Amino acid sequence: MREGLKILLLAGTQEARLLPNLLQKHMPDVQVIASFAGAVSQLPDLGVPTRVGGFGGPEGLADYCRSEEIDFLVDATHPFAAQISRNACHAARLVALPLFRLTRAPWAETDGDGWHRVGDLDAAASCLPAGSKPFIAVGRKEIKRFCHRSDLEAVVRMIERPTCSLPAGWSLQLSRPSKTSREEEAFFRTHGITHVVSKNSGGEASYAKIAAARALSLPVIMIDRPDLPQAIEFHDPSALCEAIAESG
Ligand code: NAP
């Protein structure tokens, strides 16, 4: 193991929050810099030096890695944050840096689910039947891709206000996802939800809506993950940390 390995952690997920501590357990001399896009105003404290905001594309990220003398790049961003993951692969090539990706295993359809899988947000928006009351669980920037569907009575839930105005007749809930499927079932019943639109984010934190849809026999429009360039990928934060420690 090399002393003082310097790691740039592209953060933004729950799993990324675990990494600084885990890395320090495996490598007491490790230095971690966490990086956030800055999409939400309240960022978690990962207990390590932190920077916020874009780098200016892959070249900007490569320049940053050179100037900070980064030894290792860890991409622990959201599976739908495709641009930064592509940039990370490109920058790693430019600087000849090792790159590991931490990503949640995608959800799989199970007995009782009624999924209609689509390739992207636009396909999800077009397949919703006119007059339906979908619950649309996408990000505050992504919701604009659904806003031409003023024929829907959609319910939208997000932590911070969307970046666009929503059609009249849509309902906006400013809150975090419910923790249990029981709560999600109650939420869907209260709003008379007919369809659930979800990205296949994976993980437990936002699975309650999928379990609730199953319990209520609601169809789910499941948006598949974007394709990413190949990288060494881990689903388990500890396994990723062990692999970095071993590679040093
Ligand atoms: P994106 O489209 O991959 O990223 C857009 C740009 O934001 C990147 O090109 C980069 O700018 C900057 N960026 C993203 N993550 C960064 C990080 N960790 N550190 C520094 N800069 C970063 O991703 P997005 O716009 O953030 O999100 C797209 C989707 O992912 C949405 O569905 C969103 O809800 C979901 N999501 C993302 C995150 C995340 O950590 N990014 C977390 C939760 C959910 P430059 O090119 O200028 O470097």
Side-chain angles (χ1 to χ4, degrees), residues 8-11 55 57-62 65 72-77 81-102 228-231:
L8 177 61
L9 167 62
L10 300 171
F55 296 92
E59 290 80 10
L61 177 54
C65 291
F72 217 109
L73 199 49
V74 174
D75 175 10
T77 58
Q83 192 56 55
I84 189 68
S85 292
R86 290 183 186 125
N87 292 357
C89 288
H90 189 165
R93 277 199 311 278
L94 291 174
V95 194
L97 275 183
L99 164 73
F100 284 172
R101 184 184 293 148
L102 178 65
L228 295 180
Q230 252 197 327

Side-chain angles (χ1 to χ4, degrees), residues 97-224:
L97 275 183
L99 164 73
F100 284 172
R101 184 184 293 148
L102 178 65
T103 189
R104 300 166 196 158
W107 298 317
E109 193 170 6
T110 187
D111 282 353
D113 280 334
W115 288 12
H116 175 65
R117 288 177 57 184
V118 294
D120 58 26
L121 295 158
D122 298 322
S126 21
C127 74
L128 287 162
S132 59
K133 287 191 171 184
F135 170 63
I136 307 179
V138 301
R140 59 197 284 263
K141 286 192 257 173
E142 295 161 327
I143 194 64
K144 65 173 178 293
R145 309 258 290 269
F146 291 81
C147 284
H148 60 288
R149 295 294 313 268
S150 52
D151 57 317
L152 304 173
E153 288 181 53
V155 177
V156 173
R157 182 178 62 202
M158 45 192 60
I159 302 163
E160 294 184 18
R161 290 204 158 272
T163 53
C164 58
S165 50
L166 302 180
W170 285 30
S171 151
L172 172 66
Q173 310 283 318
L174 289 176
S175 61
R176 290 189 176 273
S178 309
K179 291 216 168 70
T180 66
S181 57
R182 284 277 160 99
E183 288 172 271
E184 289 295 51
E185 281 177 46
F187 179 82
F188 292 168
R189 278 206 190 90
T190 304
H191 291 277
I193 297 300
T194 59
H195 296 72
V196 173
V197 178
S198 174
K199 297 181 288 188
N200 193 338
S201 300
E204 286 173 19
S206 55
Y207 189 71
K209 60 180 176 285
I210 308 302
R214 183 189 310 131
L216 298 176
S217 302
L218 295 178
V220 174
I221 315 300
M222 185 61 80
I223 305 166
D224 282 339

